[in-house]
Amino acid sequence: MAHLPGHDEATVSEYRTETGEVRPIYEDLMQSLDELGEEDMRRRWQHARREVELDAFSFAMDPKEFRPVPTDWIPRIIEFDEWRNIKAGVEQRLKALNMFLLDLYAGEQGVVPDDVVYSCQYFYPEFQGFRPAKDVFVHIYGIDLVQQRDGKYVVLEDNLRIPSGITYQLKSLEMARQLFPELCEAYDVVPYDIRDTYLDLFTSLCDNPEPTCVLLTDSKFGSAFFEHRYLSELLGIPLVEGGDLCIGHDGDVRMKTLDGDVHVDLIYRRVEDLEIFVPGLTDAYLKGKVVLVNGMGTSVADDKLAFLWVPDMIRHYLDEEPILEQAVSYDLDDSASRAYVLENLDKMVLKTRQGYGGLGVYIMPDLGGNYRAPLARQIIENPRALIAQETIDFSKHVIYDDEAGEYDERYIDLRVYAVQNGRGEATAFPGGLTRVSQAGNRVTNNSSGGLCKPTWVVR
């Protein structure tokens, strides 16, 4: 068996039992790694790194630097019965969040306190009374989960605004199959293809049975341009920048082509501020001239504080109990919660309400004492700027360091992607994007230096 890191009883491991043996589901995989041998392992990892570079499988760290997406090729395995529960919980959550947003803008929602909604940076009061196409605000959804010591998956946060990363999930699976076929031979990996699901989603939202759809990017210098390019090619829809679109004389959206302007039915938007890229696009959206995926206004439910009320949304809108538990979180505007958090600050995770990509996350058990005083002061002076969560003792997985020629263990999370079409049907894609922390910390985001991993759902 592969020369794995020494067993630590304090570590929550997904590939080992509590006593340190490799879990049965991973035995064939570890045997395959053993049979490759150290020299072949290094060669395969280095070849994979080169393929990543040649395919521009990259992420922008800053405007001047794109880096190949670091990937560990040892798959994470999720058994099918376990996946069915995750899938049901993700789809349940997506439906409830969409119903909340529809109620917020076109009805009278009473689940989330008004002061929470009105203090959200991305609440748009000018959207009041607006109903999106087919009553769907949230078309594409990402949810971040971790597995805790009891084996349960727990929700850390929801991503509705512009969830990114599904191409990293797809690309890591595609390359793993090509470069490491030995690892797949003993497993019945559940297949899937997002193309048909995405195109069905787009068509279901439009009155035109053959809609013209485009993907709006923030340019080739944007951090996630690889994803925009990959999705455009996969879906067979034009990749456009703001300058490629304009508003026509009747208020519709038009794409400039060599043969003249073409009417656009749907925009898969991968930009935040529409008016910077296409002046007048927000007005066209509100008048029903174009469909946006995801819709504007979703960011209220992306807010880290609104997260606290998602279980109540599920009970209120679906009359169901939440399938997935979520991290214990605290509204710091509540005096009792604030006092408890301040007293136990060294055990908490603090998050800014609008942070993303690992920004604005403070895992207090992992930080030095210099952070305590300024964060405590911020909680007292501006309690609505942050939320607090109990730190979860979540799982680690094995990775291979080809430069050192040895195995290591790192923290991992799981971002699962799901879509909801115009018929109200939600679909979660098997597996997800497994993100891996750097050595010595628990932050897994790619923008913070983390790796990604292939994720298999197996029967």
Side-chain angles (χ1 to χ4, degrees):
M1 197 63 69
H3 299 294
L4 300 174
H7 175 57
D8 180 358
E9 292 183 357
T11 295
V12 182
S13 173
E14 286 200 17
Y15 71 98
R16 281 172 152 165
T17 66
E18 290 186 356
T19 54
E21 292 85 11
V22 172
R23 287 177 53 206
I25 194 68
Y26 279 97
E27 286 178 355
D28 287 331
L29 175 64
M30 293 302 174
Q31 183 65 37
S32 296
L33 293 175
D34 254 2
E35 291 171 357
L36 284 177
E38 183 175 329
E39 183 177 343
D40 200 10
M41 283 278 284
R42 287 193 182 198
R43 184 181 62 80
R44 299 281 188 103
W45 252 247
Q46 289 164 4
H47 179 59
R49 185 181 293 114
R50 181 59 177 158
E51 289 295 312
V52 165
E53 292 172 350
L54 290 173
D55 201 32
F57 181 28
S58 60
F59 187 87
M61 299 300 289
D62 60 50
K64 297 180 181 178
E65 179 189 357
F66 279 83
R67 69 161 187 167
V69 174
T71 306
D72 177 74
W73 302 103
I74 302 175
R76 176 196 210 160
I77 299 175
I78 300 175
E79 296 184 73
F80 192 72
D81 286 345
E82 189 174 41
W83 166 247
R84 280 192 298 192
N85 188 67
I86 296 171
K87 171 180 165 65
V90 170
E91 293 171 354
Q92 178 193 60
R93 203 168 173 99
L94 169 53
K95 291 178 181 179
L97 285 162
N98 186 75
M99 295 173 78
F100 159 71
L101 287 165
L102 188 64
D103 219 11
L104 173 64
Y105 286 111
E108 295 183 4
Q109 84 81 26
V111 179
V112 181
D114 288 342
D115 60 326
V116 173
V117 171
Y118 298 149
S119 63
C120 175
Q121 179 181 346
Y122 293 105
F123 170 64
Y124 298 106
E126 64 270 28
F127 285 16
Q128 299 274 251
F130 170 71
R131 302 184 79 99
K134 313 301 183 187
D135 285 347
V136 182
F137 272 101
V138 189
H139 311 99
I140 300 172
Y141 170 60
I143 180 172
D144 294 342
L145 307 166
V146 293
Q147 189 179 45
Q148 57 187 13
R149 186 171 290 278
D150 61 5
K152 292 181 180 178
Y153 282 85
V154 177
V155 183
L156 290 184
E157 57 189 58
D158 304 290
N159 301 272
L160 301 89
R161 186 167 39 188
I162 308 175
S164 64
I166 193 165
T167 57
Y168 301 158
Q169 172 185 349
L170 297 172
K171 191 65 178 174
S172 64
L173 282 170
E174 173 192 320
M175 289 190 63
R177 281 195 297 266
Q178 294 173 358
L179 296 166
F180 306 96
E182 302 92 335
L183 306 186
C184 308
E185 289 177 353
Y187 295 91
D188 181 9
V189 181
V190 175
Y192 66 96
D193 180 358
I194 75 166
R195 183 179 186 275
D196 289 344
T197 305
Y198 267 57
L199 293 178
D200 173 69
L201 160 68
F202 295 166
T203 302
S204 74
L205 298 167
C206 299
D207 296 328
N208 183 353
E210 295 184 1
T212 298
C213 307
V214 301
L215 191 154
L216 177 58
T217 180
D218 53 357
S219 87
K220 63 183 179 182
F221 300 107
S223 62
F225 182 72
F226 167 82
E227 176 153 90
H228 303 171
R229 174 177 62 85
Y230 186 106
L231 286 170
S232 168
E233 294 173 356
L234 177 69
L235 301 174
I237 63 175
L239 180 64
V240 300
E241 298 183 23
D244 299 317
L245 302 178
C246 63
I247 306 302
H249 68 275
D250 61 352
D252 68 339
V253 179
R254 307 193 71 79
M255 175 175 56
K256 302 170 188 176
T257 75
L258 294 175
D259 298 321
D261 294 350
V262 175
H263 172 79
V264 173
D265 298 286
L266 180 145
I267 298 173
Y268 178 13
R269 71 179 183 102
R270 298 303 302 262
V271 303
E272 182 59 51
D273 193 330
L274 298 181
E275 295 304 305
I276 290 177
F277 294 91
V278 188
L281 182 52
T282 302
D283 193 45
Y285 169 59
L286 293 176
K287 289 180 178 178
K289 298 288 187 177
V290 69
V291 176
L292 293 182
V293 176
N294 276 346
M296 293 294 288
T298 59
S299 303
V300 177
D302 216 31
D303 186 283
K304 303 295 192 297
L305 182 56
F307 172 86
L308 274 67
W309 283 271
V310 176
D312 293 332
M313 295 178 199
I314 293 170
R315 297 182 184 102
H316 177 77
Y317 292 111
L318 303 179
D319 194 25
E320 299 171 357
E321 282 300 308
I323 295 170
L324 295 172
E325 296 180 10
Q326 65 180 46
V328 177
S329 306
Y330 300 95
D331 176 3
L332 298 173
D333 200 49
D334 175 76
S335 58
S337 296
R338 185 167 63 250
Y340 174 79
V341 168
L342 287 170
E343 186 176 331
N344 296 276
L345 193 57
D346 294 334
K347 303 176 184 177
M348 296 288 168
V349 175
L350 299 179
K351 297 180 179 181
T352 56
R353 288 176 61 178
Q354 302 302 332
Y356 63 93
L359 301 174
V361 177
Y362 304 93
I363 304 174
M364 299 305 290
D366 297 346
L367 296 176
N370 292 338
Y371 285 85
R372 197 182 199 288
L375 287 170
R377 187 181 308 112
Q378 186 173 352
I379 289 171
I380 294 168
E381 294 176 352
N382 189 10
R384 271 283 153 88
L386 298 165
I387 69 134
Q389 290 183 340
E390 298 278 359
T391 301
I392 297 175
D393 184 19
F394 63 100
S395 61
K396 289 184 176 182
H397 209 284
V398 64
I399 69 159
Y400 180 69
D401 182 343
D402 62 295
E403 293 183 355
E406 60 187 23
Y407 293 90
D408 194 7
E409 290 183 343
R410 304 277 182 84
Y411 288 101
I412 56 171
D413 71 0
L414 180 67
R415 176 169 289 186
V416 176
Y417 299 91
V419 301
Q420 181 171 226
N421 62 31
R423 300 181 296 275
E425 300 163 342
T427 302
F429 297 112
L433 173 64
T434 291
R435 302 181 300 180
V436 184
S437 72
Q438 288 186 310
N441 68 45
R442 305 185 218 199
V443 178
T444 59
N445 304 76
N446 187 262
S447 54
S448 300
L451 295 78
C452 65
K453 224 182 208 307
T455 309
W456 295 349
V457 172
V458 301
R459 294 188 180 92

